[in-house]
């Protein structure tokens, strides 16, 4: 099977690596990231925000705690169930929707849409990325903003490691192997876990965008203005950038 097509539709992948991707530290970071993105997007009290590819709800829940009308969208049912349970336990109202970002669209329903932790560029056909951006543009109210948080190509080139490993809090060993493909447009990965005496591995791959490539895509999707930052706090996208943050604004 072509991993570029199917890995992101594999429920086993998302369940297997959930603990590796969404560590307690990542949950803590989401709280600070929501503080930053609220300022970057100038969110009004009670603004309607869509967390696109929300996963287990890190940012959706942090947004709801601050009183925003939050909708979390993801394709993975187990993540949405866990997110719903956590929101309910905290007495928070969050709408969680199971949908593919290539088809999810609510005309002029949101003041802002966020897409965090490189949850963009999964699809082999670049037209699918454009379709996602167009869906977001259509779903935003006039003057609304789309915030994309990805691993920018420039940043990846600076810090690239073909392989590394780490140990999770529960003793699980996580290993990753990477290759840059297709003239620096695509990143192939093999993720591996050694857990409870068993070995697991999966392949995944995604498109990598430079700042100018992502800006071009967003403008082609209809956005009137695109600002690029090197961190969710609003730092410049320069040689010290830690992420690629694009804020695309719909015309008022």
């Amino acid at each position: 099977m072509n991993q570029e097509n199917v890995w992101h539709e594999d429920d086993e992948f998302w369940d297997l690596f959930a603990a590796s991707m969404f560590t307690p530290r990542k949950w803590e970071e989401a709280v600070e990231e929501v503080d930053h993105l609220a300022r970057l997007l100038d969110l009004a009290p009670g603004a309607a925000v869509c967390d696109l590819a929300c996963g287990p709800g890190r940012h959706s829940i942090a947004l709801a705690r601050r009183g925003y009308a939050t909708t979390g969208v993801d394709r993975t049912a187990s993540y949405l169930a866990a997110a719903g349970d956590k929101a309910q336990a905290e007495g928070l109202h969050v709408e969680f929707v199971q949908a593919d970002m290539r088809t999810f669209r609510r005309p002029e329903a949101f003041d802002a849409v966020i897409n965090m932790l490189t949850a963009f560029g999964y699809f082999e056909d670049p037209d699918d990325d454009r379709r996602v951006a167009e869906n977001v543009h259509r779903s935003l109210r006039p003057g609304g903003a789309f915030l994309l948080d990805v691993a920018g190509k420039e940043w990846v080139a600076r810090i690239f490691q073909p392989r590394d490993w780490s140990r999770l809090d529960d003793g699980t060993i996580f290993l990753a192997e990477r290759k840059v493909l297709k003239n620096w447009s695509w990143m192939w990965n093999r993720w591996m876990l050694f857990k409870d005496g068993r070995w697991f591995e999966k392949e995944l791959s995604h498109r990598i965008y430079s700042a100018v490539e992502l800006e071009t895509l967003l403008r082609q999707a209809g956005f009137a203005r695109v600002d690029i930052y090197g961190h969710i706090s609003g730092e410049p996208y320069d040689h010290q950038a830690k992420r690629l943050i694009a804020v695309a604004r719909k015309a008022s």
Side-chain angles (χ1 to χ4, degrees):
M1 290 190 293
N2 188 329
Q3 291 292 332
E4 293 172 355
N5 285 333
V6 302
W7 72 266
H8 49 81
E9 298 177 355
D10 179 4
D11 289 338
E12 184 180 63
F13 169 86
W14 296 109
D15 291 338
L16 183 60
F17 291 101
S20 308
M21 292 186 288
F22 308 113
T23 63
R25 178 58 185 152
K26 284 294 183 185
W27 279 89
E28 293 169 5
E29 288 174 355
V31 176
E32 182 179 357
E33 287 166 354
V34 164
D35 288 339
H36 286 312
L37 69 85
R39 288 192 292 270
L40 205 58
L41 299 175
D42 193 23
L43 291 180
V49 183
C50 175
D51 182 5
L52 188 63
C54 66
R58 293 185 308 137
H59 297 92
S60 296
I61 289 168
L63 285 161
R65 287 174 184 151
R66 287 158 178 74
Y68 297 114
T70 307
T71 298
V73 178
D74 205 276
R75 66 153 304 280
T76 304
S78 60
Y79 282 5
L80 294 173
D85 288 346
K86 186 169 180 58
Q88 185 176 23
E90 293 193 28
L92 300 170
H93 174 71
V94 183
E95 179 193 22
F96 288 108
V97 178
Q98 185 175 16
D100 189 307
M101 66 173 67
R102 290 169 289 187
T103 58
F104 179 78
R105 177 187 293 191
R106 282 189 186 171
E108 299 191 2
F110 304 111
D111 298 299
V113 176
I114 65 171
N115 180 262
M116 306 295 290
L117 197 66
T118 312
F120 185 81
Y122 291 170
F123 313 115
E124 184 175 13
D125 185 349
D127 284 343
D128 282 338
D129 288 355
R130 175 184 52 78
R131 189 172 295 111
V132 172
E134 290 174 348
N135 287 341
V136 171
H137 184 269
R138 181 75 182 277
S139 298
L140 286 168
R141 295 167 180 162
F146 178 28
L147 186 147
L148 264 170
D149 161 39
V150 299
K153 188 181 297 186
E154 298 90 345
W155 176 75
V156 170
R158 191 180 81 235
I159 60 94
F160 181 79
Q161 292 181 296
R163 59 188 62 84
D164 60 30
W165 71 279
S166 59
R167 188 186 300 272
L168 305 184
D169 291 343
D170 64 358
T172 298
I173 296 175
F174 171 74
L175 305 95
E177 181 182 4
R178 307 173 187 88
K179 293 179 183 177
V180 176
L181 303 173
K182 302 181 183 179
N183 301 320
W184 264 98
S185 69
W186 201 256
M187 181 69 70
W188 171 89
N189 306 263
R190 178 184 287 119
W191 285 4
M192 296 156 278
L193 286 180
F194 185 70
K195 180 177 182 179
D196 299 329
R198 299 179 63 194
W199 180 266
F200 307 90
E201 67 176 66
K202 293 281 187 179
E203 293 182 14
L204 61 147
S205 54
H206 60 89
R207 195 173 313 282
I208 46 177
Y209 284 95
S210 69
V212 69
E213 288 167 342
L214 191 55
E215 179 182 2
T216 298
L217 171 69
L218 292 167
R219 288 190 178 277
Q220 289 174 344
F223 288 95
R225 173 180 169 183
V226 181
D227 296 309
I228 302 292
Y229 303 96
H231 188 265
I232 193 71
S233 62
E235 296 174 10
Y237 192 69
D238 57 18
H239 65 288
Q240 295 180 317
K242 301 176 181 67
R243 297 287 292 175
L244 169 51
I245 308 295
V247 176
R249 297 190 180 275
K250 185 173 180 176
S252 300

